[in-house]
Amino acid sequence: MGNSQSSSNSSSHGGTPSSSNRSRSSTTVGFSDQVVDGGSLEPLSFIYASSIADYSRPTVHKLIVERKLAPFHLGLNDFEEDWDLEQLLAALQDGERQASQNLRDAHQAAIVAVQEAEAAQLTIPPATRKSKEGAAAVASAVMHRERLAEVIKHRDKRGGGGLHGVSKTEQARQYQSRAIECPICFLYYPPPLVHTRCCDQPICTECFVQIKRAEPDATHLESEPAACPYCMEPNFGCVYVREPVRPRIQTTQNSAGSSGFSSTEDATAPVAKPKPRRKSFAHTEKEVVTTDQLHPDWEAKLEAVKATVARRAARRVVFRQVGDRLIPVGITSGRSGDGGNTTMSTTQLPPGFAAQVAAAMDASSASGNSRASRSSRRRNQEVAAYLQTMGVDVGQDLEEMMVEEAMRLSMLEDEERQKKEREEKEKAAKANGEAVAGSAQVAETSAQGASRSTLETPNTPHTTAALLSDAISAPMGSASLLDPSPNHPPVSLPSVPVLTPSPAPPASSNHASPPAESQLSPPSAPPRLPSLDLTNPSTLPASIPSRLDSNATPTPASAPTLQDSTPLAVTPSASSVTSSVSALSSVEDPLAGSAGYEQLEDDGEDDDDASVRERMAATSVSA
Amino acid sequence: MAASALPKRIIKETQRLIADSPPGISAVPHDDNLRYFDVLISGPEGSPFEGGLFKLELFLPEEYPMSPPKVRFLTKLYHPNIDKLGRICLDILKDKWSPALQIRTVLLSVQALLSAPNPDDPLANDVAAHWKENEQDAMRVSKEWTAKYAK
């Protein structure tokens, strides 16, 4: 908690989370009470209070002041042309009440969102990239909450949503006998609204500023400008044509209608009255306000998603062929950029790592079923949905983070163990026979060392797995890996050569050795974490009837099985290995492995992380 | 998340739908969740779905109308653009959604899809293949299913 708190503070004040974030929320721009053409520079109805600062506020302010965009007006829920002022005043009051409620609802939701983001942050181990992203999510949620709180405070201070310096009666008169229903939000506004550049249809400013490009995602790496909601013309834009000045404001008639606007109610002015259908504007014309102008961050968002995808695509699991098996020896970090370089950025996997990951994930899914899964799934979905609005993809990254963390912990442990072994050996050499209790165990370990993975080593008390499970989810820490689950009967597995950094080639010595009596819970079900649901495109709130779930969760296609196509020895329980298999089969040719490292192609963006995990699982089973 | 007030648009759409429902279409919200609708669409005349009454569910997500409603058939039907789970392959329910569309227009589009299957953009591949190889026979199956499931 303290951690997330401090990081959220630092990022909201220090400005770590990128300039795009800053420009999007525009918190630096204060409220404006300025009234332009009887309207406001800020929204008044708060129809979209849950995305209150989703457009560039400075741009909108500027465009309204320049009369290129209609000011915001309060939308009336109902309206009749024959309403008198009193009825209009009542409607205004109703509209303001509705606006206040919209704000309160959004604020309430924002408070919950912050709590959930903070809770989610707690499940992420510190000092990883994920935790940075988690902190950014918290910061962003906090920012949104504060923003709403500010709006509410400002509104209260002014005693409601009225317009500064404009009397209620004046405001009501704007609607009289001529309010226009916005075809998007169905509320009534005083004319003129902005009109679409293409088909000349009205749209209220509050709806217009909400329309933007579709959010890019990993499967759709292009971004097209929003289309007109009415006629689907690409490059949506609007034009604001100010109303002709009303005659009663004009004091003198003799000043001659020199300017186009100073026209008249005169029946004698034949040209001005029945407004001819205006021509449509090209989106490049200077009168036109496009959605991209109001949402200048679209490009940054797109770049962010592209970078994420590129980084993922660049990451590969590197295998080494040992005898007739493939052993994962590392994962290219891919952070270095284009992914062309595998050897330089390869992180070495310690022996037994894969088995530990698989076991820990298994345990986490088991405990997740019992309690944590429901709430955390929902929470994660919401957070993911929120993050997606920021162009951050969480779904797959949590696992990536877990794998990284597991590797880190496992390597630390392995280093520790080796160091200890070395010390013990030295000691043993010095004082032969005077071994302490601990060193006896270690000696035993080193004696068996070559044919054992760390998990199988009796005196390595599953610490990595425990740490990992702690790291994955806090409540899950109680799930004991030591408890053999009845669902996962132990399986005897053939021995696996341990790839320690020692230069000794392990292949030949182990080739003929009898199977070790290693017992290891196989990942009989695909390790399933609550967080995996983040990849689910559905962001349905919990209130949805469950029937719709199937609508949103496509059933995965069946995949080829491993046994047929690869030289790997795989137990039947590995049938859960799916999409990564085709990648594994690409190294069928034993000669291909003689070079030492074998790079496997990713077989798709979608299951990138899943396939990493599945490769791990597959190898651990084969090990 | 606390149930927030229903946007005016949804209230108005619902009122208008009930007061003046399009021919062959009815949509009624649940009492306990006004964003969730039970929908009935009758099979269009001249289509193999004629005479059938098809049940659907429709849900308006929080972001509606900036996001499309979620619509799914609950009645089984043999159609190249509708899969086993009742999911519908219709562009306006996905990337071609526009906030100017409404429940009414969406359901009319779904009804039109029954009249005009598009096997070139299939969701149910086997059905689409069948449709392309032998449209007559595929339509015969559709009729059979309509008689069997959509009564």
Side-chain angles (χ1 to χ4, degrees), chain A residues 141-207:
Chain A
V142 168
M143 221 192 276
H144 181 58
R145 184 193 64 194
E146 290 311 308
R147 169 91 199 134
L148 280 160
E150 242 180 293
V151 173
I152 290 171
K153 205 172 125 197
H154 184 74
R155 201 178 150 87
D156 287 347
K157 211 162 62 189
R158 290 174 32 203
L163 289 167
H164 188 72
V166 179
S167 76
K168 288 281 175 212
T169 320
E170 255 178 285
Q171 196 185 353
R173 199 164 275 139
Q174 296 181 319
Y175 296 82
Q176 199 161 23
S177 74
R178 57 193 201 130
I180 292 170
E181 186 184 38
C182 168
I184 308 289
C185 64
F186 290 19
L187 302 182
Y188 294 89
Y189 297 89
L193 309 185
V194 293
H195 281 237
T196 58
R197 68 166 184 89
C198 38
C199 55
D200 197 20
Q201 292 298 303
I203 182 171
C204 77
T205 304
E206 223 161 304
C207 287

Side-chain angles (χ1 to χ4, degrees), chain A residues 47 107 151 179 232 251 269 325 355-356 365 384 397 414 418 451 454-455 492 532 549 557 590 622:
Chain A
I47 313 163
H107 186 235
V151 173
M232 304 310 280
T251 45
R325 294 201 188 89
Q356 293 174 30
S365 73
D397 271 4
D414 199 54
Q418 285 172 14
S451 63
T454 49
L455 188 65
S492 290
L532 269 182
D549 285 352
S622 73

Side-chain angles (χ1 to χ4, degrees), chain A residues 544-578:
Chain A
I544 299 170
S546 57
R547 273 177 288 170
L548 266 173
D549 285 352
S550 54
N551 188 9
T553 317
T555 40
S558 61
T561 53
L562 192 56
Q563 289 93 325
D564 304 328
S565 53
T566 73
L568 285 174
V570 179
T571 63
S573 63
S575 59
S576 64
V577 174
T578 52

